[in-house]
Amino acid sequence: MFEGPLQDVIDEFSRLPGIGPKSAQRIALHLLDEDPEDVQRFQTALGRLQDGVTFCRICHNISQEEVCRVCADSSRDKSLVCVVEETKDIQVIERTGEYRGRYHVLGGALDPLGGIGPKELNITALVQRVGGALPDVPTNEVDANNEPILEPGPEVNEVIIATDPNTEGEATAAYLARLLRDFPGLSVSRLASGIPMGGDLEFVDELTLSRAFAGRTRL
């Protein structure tokens, strides 16, 4: 145990997910040896985290502006919406380079035991968005009251549910599928899951193997 501010910093880093006491100690000691300018820059970045970060009013992705870069990108397919649990899931999908639609961040998954129901997630906003009730990005024009003219909500043709393949994620996917199935002309799909590349069949769990059989493709 260290004394004073150093131990306080170690304790705070230890509270972060994925950082144990030893890692927290290494980070704190590293900061102690850094130049004052570097530490000040780190403090400034942390201070801006709460005030400088907002959420996109369309998809609820973390954004610096009212509308995130994905929603503001006119080259993205408006008719395709991929539903994810958290913002970090968007980064994973974007790295594949395979998806050019837009996203909708739920902010979690259904977990009745944990007190998370539909009202705690961004599900109502998703339904409004699919129904065209939510406006899209602002145009460069203004109305008689000098208010920005908003484009109509995008016509969504397909919703891809990409929640995690666990109990909460599957329950959320099933709930969304029931909620959206009656929208005319809307296709609802679930991101496929199965045996990972390079995996050994001997070590695949029963649920993953069942999903792999259900989602098998013809060669």
Side-chain angles (χ1 to χ4, degrees), residues 18-29:
I19 298 182
K22 290 185 178 180
S23 296
Q25 179 177 310
R26 284 196 298 269
I27 295 172
L29 290 174

Side-chain angles (χ1 to χ4, degrees), residues 1-16:
M1 291 286 290
F2 294 91
E3 296 182 359
L6 179 59
Q7 186 59 47
D8 293 339
V9 171
I10 293 173
D11 293 340
E12 290 302 317
F13 276 125
S14 298
R15 295 174 56 234
L16 299 177

